[in-house]
Amino acid sequence: MKTYDAVIAGGGIIGSSIALELASVGLKVAVFDTQKPGREASWASAGMISPSPENPAMASLLPLSLASVCLYPEFMGLVEELSGQSVGYRRVGALDLLFTEEETAGISEILGQHRAAGLKAEALTREQARALEPGLSPEIRAAIHRPDEASLDNRLFTEATVEAARRKGVEIFSGNGAKALCFEGNTCAGLQLETGRVVARWTVIAAGCFSARIEGAAPYAPVIPAKGQMMALRCNAVRLERDLWLGHNYLVPRNDGRIIAGATVEYEGFDRSVTAAGLQQILNAALSVLPRLEKARVEETWAGLRPDSPDHLPILGPTDRDGLLIATGHFRSGILLTPVTARLVREWITSQKVSVDWAPFSPLRFQPMSQTRTA
Ligand SMILES: Cc1cc2nc3c(=O)[nH]c(=O)nc-3n(C[C@H](O)[C@H](O)[C@H](O)COP(=O)(O)OP(=O)(O)OC[C@H]3O[C@@H](n4cnc5c(N)ncnc54)[C@H](O)[C@@H]3O)c2cc1C
């Protein structure tokens, strides 16, 4: 039976980035995945690095989001250097588009919230917004410009992170997923795999929306899939620099000229089908923002499953089982939160201290108090 300092169930962007951080400080690490790592939510994503809370309920995520944004240049630099691959990073800002009088009336409140959170944001008139992005519909009334927002190509990023981890010495096993956690008394001593058992001082559950299917993990990681449908468009008649937001819908330009349009949020179990209604929602939003996209070629459509938790916040940190950590539930923000998640798990494993308070995201928050074990 092989033994490691740390074993990780799941090789998406969260599992592979944790593996890379741990290997970078000399730990012996293995990642186990049911398939080729990085083909689930991390592949399906839009790749935006957008710390602005989408609604007041997500405000508690801000300290984590801001810390992650600060760690991005260092983390991405490490990934690109080790893998020899570019991840398509673009720090060109985002425009939040406002169409109605009611939305426009709320601008100063939104700006105030951004500034209080330390995020740069400015109001633009229709003309100012169209000067930045000439393809914008004349129907918009105003926009909020967030100049610091960025995006990357999540498919390249995930692939490069897996490769960087491998080159740092991480052993990556495809087609050998985790079936169950192995407990010895109150200690988690590794994983029961599809083929045999693996022993480790530390076990990390990072299997995205599939985490709750690993026997023993569900009480700590009660995640469910939230389907997001997406499409990639290409259109010579439209030049887009910045990410555009219209409510929950968005358009994200890539360096290769494609425009990624998304996304639905649907609770349909593990179904990944692309539907007429899903594509209609995305196209309606896209065409209302950039009318010239009506000539665009639809290059690809797909759907992915975000790992969502009962309160829509990530599930991060140690459990009441010695040696067991959870890193999932990143929902719509897993790409944004990649560097900070990897850093905090590494800090905990090496020193049992973390540089950002992750208590609000504890895996123990879903358990009735009476059932919480004392470690
Ligand atoms: C349409 C869409 C758009 C998004 N847009 C953004 C965005 O713009 N910005 C942002 O920050 N976030 C975005 N997200 C969210 C982000 O993509 C996710 O939060 C993130 O990718 C989750 O990464 P993960 O590694 O936890 O999960 P995943 O990428 O799903 O990886 C989980 C891995 O675990 C493996 N696995 C499954 N079962 C087992 C098992 N039993 N044992 C071992 N391994 C197993 C899977 O094969 C997979 O490789 C988006 C998501 C979607 C779907």
Side-chain angles (χ1 to χ4, degrees):
M1 203 175 343
K2 275 198 132 179
T3 64
Y4 295 89
D5 295 316
V7 289
I8 301 169
I13 193 59
I14 297 300
S16 56
S17 61
I18 292 170
L20 173 59
E21 276 274 336
L22 295 178
S24 298
V25 292
L27 297 185
K28 190 177 171 205
V29 184
V31 173
F32 296 90
D33 202 301
T34 44
Q35 55 178 325
K36 184 170 182 255
R39 299 294 300 175
E40 292 290 347
S42 306
W43 173 88
S45 181
M48 282 178 289
I49 303 169
S50 170
S52 309
E54 278 189 53
N55 57 59
M58 302 308 277
S60 55
L61 206 53
L62 249 180
L64 210 58
S65 305
L66 295 176
S68 210
V69 168
C70 288
L71 289 170
Y72 240 104
E74 183 192 340
F75 184 79
M76 203 173 47
L78 179 70
V79 167
E80 289 192 330
E81 189 191 323
L82 281 171
S83 67
Q85 297 170 21
S86 159
V87 302
Y89 182 75
R90 301 166 56 93
R91 191 173 164 201
V92 286
L95 293 177
D96 204 345
L97 303 171
L98 310 174
F99 273 78
T100 66
E101 204 176 324
E102 199 187 340
E103 286 170 339
T104 314
I107 277 193
S108 20
E109 195 186 340
I110 299 173
L111 290 179
Q113 284 163 357
H114 277 76
R115 286 177 189 148
L119 297 167
K120 272 195 207 154
E122 57 176 340
L124 299 183
T125 61
R126 173 196 297 131
E127 291 68 31
Q128 288 169 324
R130 295 188 78 213
L132 289 181
E133 296 291 353
L136 283 177
S137 160
E139 301 290 316
I140 66 157
R141 294 181 80 95
I144 294 171
H145 183 208
R146 301 194 295 254
D148 287 342
E149 300 221 339
S151 67
L152 46 66
D153 184 324
N154 43 286
R155 294 180 186 179
L156 299 180
F157 182 47
T158 308
E159 230 176 84
T161 305
V162 171
E163 183 56 24
R166 190 176 277 123
R167 290 189 185 183
K168 222 30 192 167
V170 174
E171 292 179 45
I172 296 175
F173 298 89
S174 306
N176 195 7
K179 284 171 71 176
L181 293 168
C182 295
F183 294 119
E184 287 171 8
N186 202 36
T187 297
C188 179
L191 292 167
Q192 179 62 48
L193 302 166
E194 284 163 33
T195 61
R197 218 195 124 179
V198 67
V199 174
R201 166 68 185 96
W202 298 97
T203 302
V204 184
I205 297 299
C209 70
F210 309 92
S211 298
R213 288 174 155 186
I214 298 171
E215 199 184 313
Y220 306 108
V223 278
I224 58 166
K227 178 166 93 170
Q229 298 187 46
M230 301 271 278
M231 68 172 71
L233 303 168
R234 192 182 287 276
C235 183
N236 293 337
V238 175
R239 197 172 147 67
L240 180 66
E241 284 296 317
R242 292 158 189 81
D243 301 344
L244 301 181
W245 282 89
L246 178 66
H248 286 312
N249 293 286
Y250 44 73
L251 291 166
V252 184
R254 292 280 195 249
N255 288 338
D256 64 5
R258 284 177 310 149
I259 296 176
I260 307 302
T264 62
V265 180
E266 302 163 78
Y267 293 90
E268 307 275 353
F270 289 86
D271 168 63
R272 277 190 200 79
S273 49
V274 173
T275 64
L279 296 183
Q280 184 182 37
Q281 175 201 311
I282 297 166
L283 280 175
N284 281 346
L287 296 180
S288 70
V289 166
L290 292 178
R292 282 194 179 164
L293 279 180
E294 66 184 6
K295 299 256 183 276
R297 201 165 65 232
V298 177
E299 288 207 337
E300 189 188 350
T301 61
W302 67 93
L305 303 175
R306 308 172 183 92
D308 194 12
S309 72
D311 54 12
H312 311 299
L313 293 170
I315 309 175
L316 299 177
T319 62
D320 52 4
R321 302 286 202 158
D322 184 30
L324 176 63
L325 282 102
I326 309 293
T328 187
H330 293 78
F331 192 34
R332 304 188 78 180
S333 308
I335 303 297
L336 164 70
L337 297 173
T338 290
V340 76
T341 300
R343 177 62 57 90
L344 296 184
V345 170
R346 189 254 277 172
E347 287 174 352
W348 184 263
I349 284 179
T350 55
S351 69
Q352 276 85 73
K353 286 193 200 112
V354 282
S355 53
V356 182
D357 180 21
W358 64 359
F361 313 109
S362 168
L364 301 177
R365 72 186 187 275
F366 306 108
Q367 299 188 359
M369 289 305 276
S370 57
Q371 278 180 25
T372 308
R373 288 163 216 272
T374 45

